[in-house]
Amino acid sequence: MTASFSHKPDGYECPFCRVWGIELEQPNQGTKQWDIIYQNEKATAFIASKWWPNNKGHVLIVPNQHFENIFELPADYAVEIHRAAQLTAFAMKSTYGCDGISTRQHNEPAGNQDVWHYHLHVYPRYVNDQLYLTKGSQSDPDERAFYANKLRSWIKENI
């Protein structure tokens, strides 16, 4: 197996690397440190800043090291990302009262990847929520804190 060609543009600044970097508290609506619900040595899970109208509080899980896509992601990181996804799914079912969970992940431009750092989405799902028929929009950091606190509390009590 070989690494894939990088698709990130020249001068690209990774927004996910900023989650735990020095540029964290930029004056924008992007991810904040308090959005983090779970972190270990290889993976970080946090409330996404882009929300879909009927699926608020969805989570992104990223490797703590920069890997562009699934073709570069080492297996030991993949294990920890999916361990965090399962933990997040249990927390969402318990605290959000959702009817199900969807995960999705995109690779390369033809695969609809638009952030050049591997990431896995974990969505709370509800009957007839029309997730794939709606568009996402930027969320408010204060509203994200409500969802982050719920998930973080459940995780602390259950791991």
Side-chain angles (χ1 to χ4, degrees):
M1 292 185 283
T2 60
S4 64
F5 170 78
S6 179
H7 298 282
K8 64 184 176 185
D10 289 340
Y12 182 74
E13 291 185 28
C14 180
F16 296 153
C17 288
R18 284 195 311 241
V19 172
W20 49 87
I22 58 171
E23 300 176 41
L24 184 61
E25 301 303 327
Q26 291 185 342
N28 63 29
Q29 298 293 92
T31 301
K32 307 294 183 194
Q33 192 168 24
W34 58 78
D35 293 330
I36 295 172
I37 63 161
Y38 174 80
Q39 189 170 43
N40 66 26
E41 68 282 347
K42 296 204 188 251
T44 299
F46 53 91
I47 301 292
S49 61
K50 185 176 181 181
W51 283 7
W52 276 250
N54 301 316
N55 307 87
K56 292 182 176 183
H58 101 270
V59 169
L60 291 174
I61 305 171
V62 301
N64 294 344
Q65 186 174 330
H66 187 92
F67 302 106
E68 185 169 313
N69 54 40
I70 199 167
F71 302 108
E72 295 181 359
L73 186 70
D76 57 332
Y77 281 83
V79 167
E80 293 304 320
I81 288 165
H82 280 272
R83 187 183 321 263
Q86 185 181 43
L87 190 59
T88 299
F90 279 120
M92 283 179 173
K93 286 283 287 181
S94 179
T95 64
Y96 292 4
C98 53
D99 301 314
I101 300 292
S102 285
T103 60
R104 71 181 186 189
Q105 196 276 318
H106 307 282
N107 298 282
E108 300 183 315
N112 206 28
Q113 184 177 5
D114 60 0
V115 176
W116 308 111
H117 186 126
Y118 178 94
H119 56 287
L120 177 69
H121 296 261
V122 181
Y123 289 93
R125 297 300 306 272
Y126 305 91
V127 175
N128 298 319
D129 64 14
Q130 300 185 342
L131 173 64
Y132 301 114
L133 302 176
T134 59
K135 292 189 183 267
S137 60
Q138 198 64 26
S139 63
D140 180 89
D142 293 331
E143 191 175 4
R144 289 196 308 267
F146 172 76
Y147 290 90
N149 288 334
K150 280 183 163 195
L151 296 178
R152 205 172 24 252
S153 294
W154 188 94
I155 290 169
K156 282 182 184 176
E157 290 176 14
N158 290 279
I159 59 170

